[in-house]
Structures are given as C-alpha cells and as structure tokens.
Amino acid sequence: MNSVIALLGDFAETERNEWLSQLRAAMPAEQIELFIELNPTQKALVEFAIVANPDPAQIAQLPNLVWAHSLWAGVEKIIANFGQGPLQIVRLTDPNLANLMAEACLAWTLYLHRAMPTYRRQQQTQTWQQLPYIAAQDRTIGLLGLGKLGTAVAQRLLANGFQVAGWSRTPKLLAGCDCYNGAAGLDQLLARSDIIIGLLPATPDTAGLLNRARLARLKPGASLINFGRGSLIEQDALLEALDSAQVGHAVLDVFDQEPLPKNHAYWHHARVTVLPHISAPTQPHSASAIVARHLADYRQSGQIPETVDLVRGY
C-alpha cells in the first residue's frame, strides 16, 4: 500500500478542514488524511505527518513516523511535549509570515509613535490637547531578535524613516541597523530604544529576559511591543513598570496562557493594549506550498529539511 500523510494537531474544525483542503491541493499525488479518520493499518503507513501542536498520545500511534512538519513557526509546545525523543521536527519558515510580521510591527509602532493610546484616553475624558510631534527619524526602535522575522521588520521600519537597532544571541550584521549581542549589548539596546519589539522564540534562554532589572534599564516612558512569546516578559515586573510609567505603554499579542484569562490585570490596564495573537497568522495557502516543496525534496533525495535544534528550541 502507498504511504499515508497524517494531519493532526490543535485545530478548530473549520480551520482543520481549510488546512486539509489546501494541503491536498498543493500535493494532489499524496494521500493526506486526518489522523482521527485513520485505521490502524493506515497509521502504520505514516512516515510523514503535518502537525500543529500534536497530542503525544496520537504521535505514539504512528510507529513508522520518520519526521513531522509543523504548520507554525513556533515549536516550543512540541518540544515541551516530546523533549529529546526521536521525533524529528521541521518548523515552518514562510516568507509570507515575515511580511505579515513586518506589517504588524510597523502598524503598532506607528500606533505608539503617534501617541494613539494617549489620544484614546483623552477622548474618554473629552480632553482636547495636541501633543508635540516627534519625527520618525528621532525614534529608535529596538528589536529583540534578528532572525528572518527580525530582519524583515528592521527593513520595513527603516524604509519608514525610523532608527533601528537590534539584539540577537550571536553577532549579526544588517545594513542600516545597529546590531548588539550578549548581556552588555542587551543593556545598551534597552537604554537607547524608545520602543522595544520582542520577536524572540520561547527557549530557556529567553524566558524572563525582560525582568524587573532589565525593564528598569529602559528609557523612562519607553514602550513595548511583544509579538514573540509571552514568556519573554515577567508579568509582575511589567505591571509594576506600567504602574510607575517606567514603561509608557505595552502592546501585547502573546501570553503565557492563551486565551488571556478574563480576570487578568492586562485587560483593564490603561497602559496596555491586548491583542488575541493576531500579529502574523499562518496562511494555509502559502504554508501548504512550502510543506509540499519540502516533501517533494524528501521524496527525491531522502534528506529531511533542516530540523529543530531541541537544545536551542528553534
């Protein structure tokens, strides 16, 4: 019998059906089936799976699985579930995702740059007060993360006249962007930035990176945008910094717990904008084409695309 490709993971039903339709359109010669509809014989034929935060118990029912392609760029939940096991994971690297992230970062940078939160508060109190204008070239945007997403964001911000600096785990060079690395470099970046944008993945090294001490190193009144992972920022420390106006405003799209609990302080804080994880949604059409290309290469060469480093977490 021919091999079977299993689609499994954390989907809403309509979302799952859309993915199945797009994947089948991108790979018409392949037999792609929902895991929940496979019989034991078919499960034994699965050597390749397409996944979105899959249930380990379901993966365990695929005895001949060689590798899995994640439909999300973030894979921390998969790593947490499977640890250092034999499953080889390929994460999604979609140029369209970088474009969407760059668009979102520009939009919310402009939101902060043009003092939209303040004007919103003024409307609520019927206050007519014009704030001084600050030109884009007089704002420094600090990026935490200079991978493919960070590079795209930097280029978009530079094209719109902002000064851009960036920090990464290892040294990077990026035209027009002042690049920092290491602990000392992070302190330098925080001290000079008017707006910090978090784009880092969730790893042991990035957990709590913006803690109480580092938030204190920000320019007083600097703002934050977090589009990476919620674990980047210590929540209690951020709330304290917001209450004291050390942080002027925080635009948060990612959280330790999602959906954000109804009783969370972020919902009602005047200096917080809560977003429901919408900064760069994966697009099934473009992502399916990437998965199809990777599988075609594997069919031809037997080589699995670059897999996730389970130690680094990405």
Side-chain angles (χ1 to χ4, degrees):
M1 297 178 66
N2 295 328
S3 64
V4 176
I5 296 173
L7 173 64
L8 65 156
D10 184 16
F11 299 105
E13 184 176 357
T14 55
E15 181 186 25
R16 182 187 65 198
N17 292 340
E18 172 67 10
W19 275 109
L20 186 62
S21 175
Q22 293 288 348
L23 289 163
R24 283 174 171 170
M27 295 176 278
E30 299 287 350
Q31 183 182 352
I32 305 173
E33 305 291 347
L34 297 175
F35 172 86
I36 57 176
E37 296 179 356
L38 295 178
N39 60 43
T41 300
Q42 291 173 313
K43 290 176 182 177
L45 295 172
V46 174
E47 65 176 26
F48 170 64
I50 302 169
V51 304
N53 296 331
D55 182 343
Q58 293 183 337
I59 291 290
Q61 296 176 48
L62 304 174
N64 296 309
L65 181 64
V66 177
W67 63 289
H69 203 308
S70 174
L71 293 176
W72 313 145
V75 292
E76 66 276 2
K77 289 184 181 179
I78 301 178
I79 293 172
N81 283 335
F82 295 98
Q84 305 299 312
L87 181 64
Q88 298 203 69
I89 306 160
V90 175
R91 71 187 183 102
L92 183 69
T93 303
D94 186 349
N96 187 53
L97 187 69
N99 181 57
L100 290 173
M101 182 61 81
E103 177 185 80
C105 287
L106 175 61
W108 292 100
T109 294
L110 291 171
Y111 169 80
L112 296 169
H113 166 59
R114 295 303 300 263
M116 302 298 183
T118 301
Y119 285 122
R120 176 61 181 168
R121 289 195 293 272
Q122 287 184 182
Q123 179 180 340
Q124 292 170 338
T125 59
Q126 297 176 306
T127 300
W128 185 278
Q129 179 181 350
Q130 297 178 355
L131 303 177
Y133 173 72
I134 299 174
Q137 61 263 29
D138 295 325
R139 297 270 197 203
T140 297
I141 316 302
L143 306 180
L144 300 181
L146 284 175
K148 292 182 179 179
L149 294 182
T151 297
V153 171
Q155 291 169 342
R156 186 71 62 91
L157 292 171
L158 288 166
N160 281 270
F162 292 99
Q163 296 186 50
V164 180
W167 180 86
S168 55
R169 185 175 59 88
T170 57
K172 296 282 181 69
L173 291 175
L174 182 60
C177 176
D178 295 332
C179 298
Y180 299 87
N181 66 282
L186 179 57
D187 288 346
Q188 291 177 278
L189 178 81
L190 296 176
R192 64 169 291 196
S193 298
D194 299 293
I195 300 171
I196 292 287
I197 302 179
L199 298 168
L200 293 165
T203 71
D205 291 334
T206 64
L209 188 71
L210 293 183
N211 55 23
R212 185 171 284 100
R214 290 200 173 101
L215 290 173
R217 295 187 182 108
L218 289 169
K219 295 173 68 171
S223 295
L224 293 175
I225 298 171
N226 191 16
F227 288 166
R229 285 295 181 264
S231 58
L232 176 69
I233 304 174
E234 288 188 358
Q235 292 188 27
D236 290 345
L238 176 57
L239 287 167
E240 290 175 12
L242 289 163
D243 289 342
S244 69
Q246 167 66 9
V247 173
H249 198 87
V251 176
L252 306 174
D253 187 49
V254 287
F255 306 93
D256 290 334
Q257 182 179 345
E258 297 183 2
L260 186 66
K262 297 288 187 181
N263 62 350
H264 201 288
Y266 286 153
W267 282 114
H268 303 291
H269 201 291
R271 296 181 183 273
V272 175
T273 297
V274 171
L275 302 174
H277 205 140
I278 47 81
S279 55
T282 302
Q283 302 297 292
H285 178 74
S286 61
S288 294
I290 291 169
V291 175
R293 185 169 66 249
H294 285 167
L295 180 59
D297 291 343
Y298 172 71
R299 295 285 196 221
Q300 183 174 16
S301 68
Q303 295 296 311
I304 299 172
E306 182 180 2
T307 57
V308 172
D309 184 320
L310 299 178
V311 175
R312 290 190 305 172
Y314 58 93

